[in-house]
Amino acid sequence: MSNKIYPIGIQNFEKIRKGGFCYIDKTSLIYQMVKTGSYYFLSRPRRFGKSLLLSTLEAYFQGKKELFEGLAMEKLEKDWLTYPILHIDLNTEKYDTPESLENKLNRVLVEWEKMYGSEPAETSLAMRFEGIIGRACEKEGQSVVILVDEYDKPMLQAIGDDELQKSFRNTLKAFYGALKSKDGCIKFGMLTGVTKFGKVSVFSDLNNLEDISMRQQYAEICGISDRELHENFETELHEFASLQGLTYDEICTEMRERYDGYHFTHNSVGIYNPFSVLNTLKYNAFGSYWFETGTPTYLVELLKKHHYDLHRMAHEETSADVLNSIDSTSDNPIPVIYQSGYLTIKGYDNRFDSYRLGFPNREVEEGFVKYLMPFYTNTSAVESSFEIQKFVREVESGDCDSFFRRLQSFFADTPYELIRDLELHYQNVLFIVFKLVGFYVKAEYHTSQGRIDLVLQTDKYIYVMEFKLEGTAEEALQQINEKHYAKPFDSDRRRLFKIGVNFSAETRNIEKWIVE
């Protein structure tokens, strides 16, 4: 049996190294970063190892050579100097008023002022920060290292509240401005976060900040690559396969489909979600570990607020400029969804410098669509999984009528304000239902203006469906026959159902279905 200890939830490099926890060596990339630049920004989804990266940098700049024994850094670094470090973690606060951010920054500054002193003339948060950087450099005789973890937490919590976000932006913009004004006193600076707020944002004055979020050479700085998975966990993968009653190749395929697939730039290696991989290997059980640690409701609020067509999510196209920053005044929810880790880069068009996005893997795709259901349908989060199970059983048993009665209940009590965009609403609900059903039976659907045609397949049945809005179920069925939607299944032995469905704008629900 493997005796590896997994550092789940541990973000402190020193604790991992002294406690004998397994550590995937990122120190050659850290060395490259430190030796080739001074100011960096990195955006990665939550629980991808950003805090551990900063903690590793902190140990390195503290000159703690003993912690790097056996790692790439041990051979690369020769000097092991010690620098004063100012480390800020903005993750540990609820930011719901302008004062909440100011109080958090004040607490951090007070601690530093105990070490490096203060000046009465330094009246603002930014001036105090500048003063501390200057005095730390002077007192220690070395340039200062500044590490900021979750720099964007206040901004993210204020999404949807423009006034509060403006207040946070102005505070942080001035505060982080110290990195530029005190450049002569700073050895190295790094900010990490989930998102990058651009345009008139906290970075507009920090033009010396190097954004490595989409840089090819730093694609593996957080997370686990396929190479790293096999270099570090080969024994554990064989044990896991044996316990699951699968072959080694089957367990590797399952791991890839569930947790791999993150691409932070085009043509880069795929990255596994580290949190889900470590939990899976620790407990020898597959699960939605990353997803279950919490999905922010602001993501769904953004999708609904901007009347987003969920069908687009699986094949969204966008530019590098859009992906790379969030403009808080924009009506495009995609950059936030992408940077939060729910979409990833699937393809790149060099001619137009455009990216094709999609869900990274099954954990995220199934988890996110399931999470959306209560926000779009007349069902609770607790009931969602059971409702999908019932849908699947009805499809597998050929019970069309029960299936459509259940679907009707999903549209019951559609809020009146949605009637303005009823077509989009019913398409989004159908997307959610059939996407989730499609994880258990084969589902293909196509949409065009005002209608959806859909094919569901089980081992015994084939369903060819046509949905219309403000038409008739008869017209929908007629379209299936006239357009020969069922032709590909002419020689199939399974029983075929052709189903025409009509939605009524008046009732905001399925008005009628006909089965042939």
Side-chain angles (χ1 to χ4, degrees):
M1 285 290 289
S2 165
N3 58 357
K4 270 203 175 69
I5 316 173
Y6 298 97
I8 294 163
I10 299 173
Q11 300 166 344
N12 183 279
F13 178 70
E14 185 166 349
K15 185 175 180 180
I16 284 173
R17 298 297 286 164
K18 286 185 174 177
F21 294 92
C22 63
Y23 172 74
I24 294 170
D25 190 358
K26 305 288 186 180
T27 60
S28 63
L29 284 174
I30 289 172
Y31 182 82
Q32 176 186 329
M33 188 167 63
V34 168
K35 296 302 180 183
T36 59
S38 295
Y39 297 97
Y40 291 96
F41 170 73
L42 177 70
S43 159
R44 284 292 182 268
R46 61 190 171 80
R47 293 190 177 271
F48 251 77
K50 299 185 297 296
S51 298
L52 177 58
L53 171 64
L54 290 188
S55 178
T56 310
L57 279 162
E58 185 168 15
Y60 165 75
F61 282 115
Q62 286 171 334
K64 294 183 175 178
K65 183 180 178 180
E66 72 282 2
L67 297 179
F68 293 85
E69 190 179 328
L71 301 179
M73 184 71 85
E74 183 184 31
K75 293 177 179 159
L76 293 168
E77 183 55 71
K78 301 292 183 278
D79 299 329
W80 294 102
L81 300 175
T82 302
Y83 298 88
I85 295 166
L86 303 177
H87 192 159
I88 312 169
D89 182 1
L90 291 183
N91 196 38
T92 57
E93 187 65 67
K94 183 181 180 186
Y95 301 99
D96 51 6
T97 64
E99 294 74 33
S100 57
L101 174 58
E102 290 166 11
N103 291 341
K104 171 69 178 179
L105 294 176
N106 180 58
R107 280 203 303 276
V108 173
L109 293 171
V110 166
E111 286 302 309
W112 292 338
E113 284 166 343
K114 287 176 186 174
M115 291 187 281
Y116 301 116
S118 60
E119 290 289 339
E122 294 164 3
T123 53
S124 70
L125 295 167
M127 289 167 71
R128 289 166 65 194
F129 191 22
E130 285 178 340
I132 289 163
I133 293 169
R135 287 188 294 277
C137 179
E138 189 179 339
K139 182 179 177 182
E140 305 287 347
Q142 286 283 15
S143 300
V144 178
V145 171
I146 297 171
L147 306 173
V148 183
D149 200 2
E150 305 289 0
Y151 92 96
D152 56 343
K153 187 72 179 285
M155 305 282 286
L156 278 173
Q157 289 196 352
I159 280 182
D161 186 335
D162 293 343
E163 276 305 304
L164 188 57
Q165 195 164 84
K166 184 180 177 183
S167 169
F168 288 160
R169 185 168 63 233
N170 291 339
T171 301
L172 291 173
K173 187 176 177 181
F175 190 77
Y176 295 141
L179 272 72
K180 191 170 183 182
S181 62
K182 302 302 287 185
D183 178 48
C185 300
I186 297 173
K187 163 72 177 173
F188 181 89
M190 186 163 196
L191 288 79
T192 68
V194 171
T195 55
K196 182 179 178 186
F197 286 87
K199 302 237 170 129
V200 290
S201 191
V202 294
F203 290 141
S204 54
D205 293 337
L206 279 178
N207 52 7
N208 57 343
L209 200 62
E210 196 178 333
D211 183 0
I212 58 170
S213 307
M214 295 180 76
R215 295 291 177 203
Q216 183 77 256
Q217 61 264 49
Y218 293 111
E220 295 181 50
I221 193 110
C222 288
I224 301 173
S225 69
D226 201 60
R227 172 186 59 80
E228 289 170 329
L229 180 73
H230 292 286
E231 281 177 2
N232 289 273
F233 303 111
E234 199 68 353
T235 302
E236 290 73 21
L237 287 169
H238 280 283
E239 285 179 7
F240 186 28
S242 176
L243 287 166
Q244 290 284 321
L246 299 171
T247 66
Y248 171 76
D249 286 343
E250 284 170 340
I251 211 77
C252 291
T253 299
E254 191 74 13
M255 290 288 284
R256 252 193 319 275
E257 287 178 358
R258 284 176 181 265
Y259 307 128
D260 191 11
Y262 288 91
H263 296 271
F264 300 108
T265 184
H266 60 285
N267 299 328
S268 73
V269 295
I271 298 294
Y272 287 77
N273 186 314
F275 187 76
S276 289
V277 166
L278 295 178
N279 272 284
T280 297
L281 294 176
K282 178 178 180 178
Y283 297 109
N284 284 312
F286 289 114
S288 298
Y289 297 105
W290 179 77
F291 202 90
E292 286 168 0
T293 57
T295 299
T297 54
Y298 66 73
L299 294 179
V300 186
E301 298 305 329
L302 276 175
L303 291 170
K304 295 188 77 172
K305 178 183 174 185
H306 301 303
H307 301 288
Y308 185 77
D309 181 352
L310 296 176
H311 286 88
R312 287 171 50 195
M313 195 174 282
H315 45 259
E316 181 70 61
E317 290 206 12
T318 189
S319 69
D321 287 342
V322 172
L323 281 192
N324 231 339
S325 71
I326 293 165
D327 174 9
S328 57
T329 61
S330 169
D331 63 355
N332 187 354
I334 289 307
V336 191
I337 308 276
Y338 162 74
Q339 291 178 14
S340 300
Y342 297 92
L343 291 176
T344 196
I345 294 168
K346 291 290 190 179
Y348 176 69
D349 188 325
N350 192 46
R351 184 179 168 201
F352 298 107
D353 192 26
S354 65
Y355 292 87
R356 182 172 55 81
L357 305 180
F359 293 108
N361 51 48
R362 177 166 173 163
E363 178 189 10
V364 175
E365 183 174 22
E366 188 171 356
F368 194 58
V369 179
K370 196 179 287 182
Y371 181 76
L372 290 173
M373 187 187 277
F375 293 91
Y376 284 86
T377 67
N378 182 35
T379 184
S380 71
V382 177
E383 294 167 345
S384 295
S385 294
F386 294 110
E387 291 297 323
I388 293 302
Q389 286 177 32
K390 290 168 187 169
F391 273 130
V392 171
R393 290 195 181 110
E394 285 154 3
V395 167
E396 288 176 339
S397 64
D399 188 352
C400 302
D401 287 340
S402 294
F403 181 94
F404 278 100
R405 278 194 294 272
R406 188 174 310 285
L407 195 55
Q408 270 183 326
S409 73
F410 270 44
F411 289 96
D413 304 319
T414 299
Y416 185 75
E417 60 269 20
L418 286 172
I419 199 160
R420 288 180 293 114
D421 214 341
L422 187 64
E423 181 183 320
L424 178 64
H425 177 65
Y426 93 74
Q427 288 196 0
N428 281 342
V429 173
L430 291 179
F431 169 84
I432 291 167
V433 170
F434 289 115
K435 191 77 175 165
L436 290 172
V437 168
F439 285 114
Y440 307 96
V441 301
K442 195 176 173 187
E444 303 164 52
Y445 44 85
H446 312 276
T447 64
S448 62
Q449 285 188 316
R451 44 166 283 266
I452 294 181
D453 65 85
L454 176 110
V455 176
L456 280 182
Q457 298 181 55
T458 72
D459 56 346
K460 294 179 183 174
Y461 303 104
I462 299 167
Y463 301 85
V464 179
M465 307 183 197
E466 177 66 30
F467 294 85
K468 285 200 173 294
L469 175 64
E470 287 296 277
T472 66
E474 288 79 7
E475 286 170 359
L477 188 59
Q478 186 180 347
Q479 186 166 312
I480 292 173
N481 290 320
E482 286 180 354
K483 298 264 178 104
H484 306 292
Y485 291 160
K487 191 163 181 57
F489 308 105
D490 279 353
S491 58
D492 201 295
R493 291 181 178 179
R494 288 173 291 181
R495 184 176 174 189
L496 178 74
F497 292 103
K498 298 177 192 173
I499 308 170
V501 187
N502 185 55
F503 278 86
S504 160
E506 185 182 345
T507 62
R508 307 194 292 283
N509 208 322
I510 294 172
E511 175 252 342
K512 186 179 181 182
W513 64 89
I514 301 176
V515 182
E516 186 181 281

